Amino acid sequence: MSRRPAKPRLSPTAACPCGLPGTYAACCGRLHQGQAEATSAEQLMRSRFSAFAAHDEAYLLRSWHPDTRPAAVEFDDGLVWQRLEVLGSTEGGPFHSEGTVEFRAHYLDGRETGAMQENSRFLRYEGAWVYLDSLSLD
């Protein structure tokens, strides 16, 4: 029987991976632990990036719209999410019901660096922001 590698853990005192100033505990960690909810589509997107960095499957599934949510999240144990750039957004604020966030996520895969760019769509579902899907950037 093979053992699955231990999931990455984020120290509460480490800088938050989402790129905002502050520690993980004071930033995205509060959302991951259920102590706060995202107040905007961008905040949810940033917290989901941090959840990918931490391999926090429970939070990712909880923050995914039920119509598009997968049964599980598969993490690539060789991929390390390093930093996030928010490139732009539309709507997604406290008085909106939907929004988009375009971002570039930088990673390290072994010794090679890379980045993925996406324009994600978010909706309010039962009062909370959730990830719906991504739009083509073509």
Side-chain angles (χ1 to χ4, degrees), residues 1 6-7 17 19 26 28 32 44 47 54 61-63 74 88 93 108 115 123 127 130:
M1 181 161 109
K7 72 178 186 176
C28 292
H32 295 174
L44 181 65
S47 71
L61 293 175
R62 227 177 26 250
S63 62
E74 293 187 26
L108 180 64
L123 298 175
V130 294

Side-chain angles (χ1 to χ4, degrees), residues 90-99 124 129:
T90 61
E91 298 187 341
F95 303 108
H96 299 118
S97 58
E98 58 187 57
R124 283 200 189 264
W129 283 107

Side-chain angles (χ1 to χ4, degrees), residues 6 8 14 26 34 41 49 58 75 77 80 82 88 92 100 103 106 111 115 119 128 135:
F49 174 82
F75 298 101
D77 292 324
V80 178
Q82 296 189 300
T100 65
F103 65 92
H106 297 264
R111 293 184 179 189
N119 194 9
L135 300 169

